[in-house]
Amino acid sequence: MSELTPEVLISEEQIQSRVLALAEDISADYADGGELVMIGVLKGSFIFLADLSRRLSIPRTIEFIAVSSYGNGSVSSGAVRLVMDVRGNIEGKHVLIVEDIVDTGHTLKYLIGMLKSHRPASVRTAALVRKAESAEVDVTIDYLGFDIGDEWVVGYGLDFAEQNRTLPYIGVIKPTDG
Ligand code: IMP
Ligand code: MG
């Protein structure tokens, strides 16, 4: 089986400058105080969370949560299952959910509801990518990197069957001839 190199959709430079802009917005919005806890959604958000959190100019702590919705396939089942909850206490804190990509919106909607039950001071959302045409539920993304069409993307944390997560850019896998 031949190795397919994904075609660049969003370059490393585009990602880095957008992440910096988002970090500046977040730093300004939370500058007035309160405790900010960034909650990364495993596994896909790990690189976005690492870059975004290191560009903030305000104090913050990091938590992770894991959900499962698709298995290894690429079709949304709509059903979201919590695989790992946050470990720290988030009551009274400002929560920022950090997601890699919002497709149907089911995952983010579930997470917002679930985390609100822990009685945080606020819940906001950041996502690197959104597939605008694929939305099935209405969910607000407070800090959005990029809108893309309905295609499967990999890189910068995103995978296809666990492959290509560590590419520095976001790419699309195109089948080659022969
Ligand atoms: P949603 O619940 O349909 O919004 O799905 C969100 C989750 O599906 C994301 O957190 C990803 O883990 C996964 N996902 C959706 N589209 C893609 C993609 O194009 N590449 C990689 N993962 C994706
Ligand atoms: Mg995800």
Side-chain angles (χ1 to χ4, degrees), residues 32-93:
D32 289 341
E35 258 187 82
L36 174 63
V37 51
M38 304 174 80
I39 303 182
V41 186
L42 292 172
K43 301 174 194 171
S45 75
F46 79 117
I47 294 179
F48 178 41
L49 176 67
D51 284 350
L52 186 66
S53 61
R54 286 180 296 175
R55 283 162 177 73
L56 296 182
S57 56
I58 52 168
R60 65 283 179 180
T61 58
I62 306 294
E63 289 283 343
F64 286 102
I65 207 163
V67 290
S68 166
S69 49
Y70 291 3
N72 272 351
S74 59
V75 179
S76 176
S77 61
V80 182
R81 190 165 58 90
L82 186 67
V83 174
M84 187 187 89
D85 205 344
V86 286
R87 293 204 203 167
N89 183 10
I90 60 168
E91 188 173 339
K93 298 178 185 171

Side-chain angles (χ1 to χ4, degrees), residues 104-164:
T104 62
H106 287 293
T107 304
L108 200 52
K109 193 184 171 108
Y110 166 82
L111 286 174
I112 293 168
M114 199 278 290
L115 289 167
K116 276 187 175 164
S117 72
H118 290 268
R119 300 164 52 84
S122 67
V123 177
R124 283 189 193 159
T125 56
L128 184 69
V129 182
R130 171 175 62 186
K131 295 185 188 177
E133 300 153 22
S134 310
E136 286 177 11
V137 290
D138 194 23
V139 62
T140 302
I141 303 174
D142 298 288
Y143 305 99
L144 174 66
F146 304 93
D147 265 321
I148 63 167
D150 185 15
E151 51 195 343
W152 196 263
V153 289
V154 295
Y156 201 72
L158 294 156
D159 75 306
F160 178 67
E162 294 302 324
Q163 299 302 306
N164 294 119

